[in-house]
Amino acid sequence: MSSAQENTGLLEDALEQVLRNATAVHCWHRLRPFYLAATAQQQLEARAILLRRMESDPLSRFMRATFLADVSGDFTFRHQAAALLAMPLCDPDRIAAHLVVAWFEILARQPDRTGFADALRGAGFPALLRRSGACLAADGLAAAAPRAVSQVRKVAIVAPQLSGYSHAPTGLALAHGALLQEQGVAVELFSAQELHIASMPQLIACGNDTNFLPPDPAGWQANQPQALTIHLADQRLSLLRRWRGVADRLNRFDPDLVLFVGLYSPLVDVLYRSRPVVALSVQSVAPVVSADVWLAADPAQAAAAGASWQPEFAAAAPWHYPYRIPPGAALPPLSRAGLDLPDTALVLVSVGYRLREEVGGDWAAHMVDLLAARPDVVWLLVGCGDPLPASLQGLPPGRVRVLPHQANLDGVLACCDIYLNPPRMGGGFSVAQAMAAGLPVLSLGGSDGGDKVGRYAQCDSDSYFATLRHWLDDAGARAERGAVMRTLFRNTLDLRQAGASLMGACQAALASFQRRTTPASS
């Protein structure tokens, strides 16, 4: 029997097992490698069988949708996972597993803000988060007792996930803790670690899991000007138990205001009932929560998108707030020799954990052509590690270098000539770091990275690559744009300047809270 015949038999057997027990996740996990090893025709036939003969109960349909979304790359199957809404019992852990997988897929696939927001709604984010919030309330999770708030003296920062300090959302939450402390505000930081779901592969047919760096409390405190009390939930617990524990600790702190730093969390909807909420999204869209004020980087975009998640969530009033990161701490300089980069090369650099998925399509093809035409250029990909993105694997050795996560990213950037942001929704924090380092930055508009460079964002791929070719030929133009980027960072992104604006946003949220909680006069 040939290996192809053997795999066909295994595929048929695993498919039959799934059809007999469609709610058993181990059956789907067993099917996956045989499906991926099958021919395109066999995959088509297997997919047709799954779509035609599957049990009609919601959990079976959800399993099928998460499996087919993973193996086919067809995001419409993520939409079908809204079968979760039809399940008679709410399962916040399964909902969270679906949402985090969908979020990461959307980030890897959507190059701009409009597509990103549409994909979030298509994957059921507002409705499913609303259902999880209702589940929290039904479970007896209580918000802090409502009370009159006349001044913001105590702020609870709520972050869905805290990881290593270099994890951009973690750094953002910690930096805002320090910023509020500088304003004389008492601050405590709370995280249910809700993007890490216990036994997550057993909840979804694709078997995916998250892979965050572990929490690093000692490293966090080393980077804080003042000690900051941080409450972390036990990641081994169910999400309901974690949310209850966080809410209990937060209630004991009894804050005057909640600052949410993230994209989504059903916990915030509970907190919104009894406290003013300011929300700072980690993407350049409104966070999928109810809030009084949204700290938005782009005032024009914010004004147009303030009601993005209605009717599920209350629309937050946008507050112009471009500030995102402080300059990095001074670390020992790095050398090109230490990074195995040629001294005479023109070094391009891109940074991100998802570069293997984000570097593809026509944009990657343009990069391959450019590297073929310019033997003096080397491209450094930081954060993804080996192997190279599939679209670049035909290039000669040494033309593209990959590095894993770098603690001293500023040192790496100082060894480079141009920062390239691929067409992607994310990447805004690394763009900001490159700007602070004085690198000329290329990014398309309508994205997190494009928002950071503002009017210097490129309108399309043609202008992007025309500018890149010009910079490769003109060291003076590179230096001039690098100086512009450093000045733009200092004027618009440097978090050290954000104190007055942040406190203004808190006061606006307090006024909103007072309006929505004051009984209407008869």
Side-chain angles (χ1 to χ4, degrees):
M1 180 185 296
S2 68
S3 59
Q5 290 173 320
E6 182 179 23
N7 190 75
T8 297
L10 291 168
L11 173 65
E12 292 171 349
D13 181 61
L15 191 58
E16 290 171 4
Q17 187 182 39
V18 160
L19 293 172
R20 286 193 300 270
N21 196 2
T23 60
V25 71
H26 72 275
C27 297
W28 293 98
H29 292 181
R30 177 172 177 255
L31 173 62
R32 187 176 187 276
F34 304 136
Y35 180 97
L36 293 176
T39 66
Q41 182 60 34
Q42 288 174 323
Q43 290 181 355
L44 187 64
E45 292 168 357
R47 196 154 60 241
I49 290 170
L50 290 172
L51 292 170
R52 186 175 66 250
R53 294 174 53 189
M54 179 63 62
E55 293 291 332
S56 61
D57 66 282
L59 183 54
S60 295
R61 297 202 320 271
F62 171 72
M63 288 294 184
R64 178 181 64 190
T66 57
F67 177 83
L68 291 176
D70 178 60
V71 298
S72 72
D74 185 347
F75 200 78
T76 58
F77 289 115
R78 289 276 172 233
H79 299 183
Q80 294 180 16
L84 273 168
L85 285 168
M87 291 183 188
L89 295 176
C90 177
D91 184 350
D93 290 81
R94 199 183 301 274
I95 289 174
H98 161 68
L99 293 179
V100 72
V101 170
W103 180 22
F104 290 172
E105 283 188 6
I106 293 166
L107 276 174
R109 297 182 183 189
Q110 292 296 335
D112 59 49
R113 184 167 39 245
T114 300
F116 179 79
D118 289 346
L120 289 181
R121 187 169 284 284
F125 272 67
L128 289 169
L129 288 164
R130 188 69 172 172
R131 187 169 191 202
S132 285
C135 187
L136 292 181
D139 189 62
L141 187 146
R147 63 171 173 82
V149 180
S150 59
Q151 191 171 350
V152 178
R153 295 189 178 95
K154 297 167 66 178
V155 171
I157 299 179
V158 174
Q161 187 78 28
L162 296 177
S163 181
Y165 190 83
S166 59
H167 173 239
T170 299
L172 191 64
L174 293 167
H176 276 81
L179 183 62
L180 286 164
Q181 288 175 326
E182 289 175 7
Q183 307 306 307
V185 175
V187 184
E188 294 190 8
L189 173 56
F190 302 81
S191 179
Q193 299 296 88
E194 60 199 77
L195 303 184
H196 178 95
I197 298 100
S199 302
M200 177 173 156
Q202 307 310 312
L203 299 172
I204 45 180
C206 59
N208 291 8
D209 204 351
T210 53
N211 186 29
F212 290 98
L213 293 171
D216 181 21
W220 299 337
Q221 297 293 356
N223 285 281
Q224 294 300 106
Q226 302 179 44
L228 177 64
T229 299
I230 301 173
H231 304 274
L232 286 177
D234 186 339
Q235 295 184 161
R236 297 170 297 178
L237 297 173
S238 70
L239 286 179
L240 275 177
R241 182 64 66 87
R242 286 187 239 170
W243 282 323
R244 272 204 306 270
V246 166
D248 288 345
R249 294 181 186 181
L250 193 146
N251 291 347
R252 287 195 293 271
F253 178 53
D254 191 25
D256 301 314
L257 178 140
V258 172
L259 172 61
F260 173 67
V261 181
L263 180 63
Y264 64 88
S265 172
L267 179 61
V268 178
D269 212 36
V270 177
L271 304 176
Y272 176 78
R273 299 170 195 173
S274 62
R275 291 292 183 274
V277 174
V278 174
L280 176 58
S281 180
V282 294
Q283 318 287 173
S284 57
V285 296
V288 195
V289 297
S290 289
D292 294 283
V293 168
W294 164 32
L295 300 176
D298 181 340
Q301 179 263 329
S308 296
W309 310 116
Q310 290 182 301
E312 292 88 354
F313 295 102
W319 182 274
H320 181 215
Y321 189 84
Y323 315 102
R324 286 302 181 266
I325 64 171
L331 294 173
L334 302 178
S335 68
R336 284 195 171 189
L339 296 171
D340 195 27
L341 295 171
D343 278 340
T344 58
L346 286 166
V347 180
L348 314 177
V349 60
S350 302
V351 178
Y353 295 104
R354 293 177 295 273
L355 288 174
R356 269 194 294 276
E357 294 78 28
E358 293 166 338
V359 175
D362 291 342
W363 186 85
H366 280 302
M367 287 300 303
V368 169
D369 290 344
L370 183 142
L371 289 167
R374 295 292 303 249
D376 57 331
V377 172
V378 172
W379 189 13
L380 185 61
L381 305 180
V382 181
C384 62
D386 286 321
L388 284 175
S391 56
L392 307 180
Q393 290 181 4
L395 287 166
R399 301 306 311 282
V400 180
R401 312 285 178 87
V402 293
L403 290 175
H405 162 75
Q406 298 293 299
N408 186 3
L409 180 58
D410 288 337
V412 175
L413 294 173
C415 296
C416 302
D417 297 292
I418 300 171
Y419 185 89
L420 301 183
N421 197 43
R424 57 181 175 178
M425 176 59 188
F429 290 98
S430 54
V431 164
Q433 281 186 270
M435 293 167 66
L439 283 182
V441 174
L442 274 173
S443 180
L444 292 169
S447 63
D448 293 352
D451 276 3
K452 302 298 180 293
V453 299
R455 67 185 182 88
Y456 298 100
Q458 304 299 311
C459 60
D460 55 34
S461 183
D462 288 344
S463 64
Y464 187 109
F465 283 99
T467 302
L468 176 54
R469 288 189 292 270
H470 173 58
W471 286 354
L472 289 173
D473 290 332
D474 191 334
R478 294 196 301 272
E480 180 180 348
R481 183 57 60 87
V484 168
M485 292 292 103
R486 180 179 278 117
T487 300
L488 186 61
F489 172 84
R490 290 172 178 166
N491 291 343
T492 62
L493 300 176
D494 190 344
L495 197 59
R496 295 174 301 182
Q497 302 184 57
S501 181
L502 180 59
M503 294 310 295
C506 291
Q507 291 303 315
L510 176 55
S512 168
F513 173 74
Q514 291 168 340
R515 288 192 299 272
R516 64 180 171 85
T517 56
T518 300
S521 57
S522 57

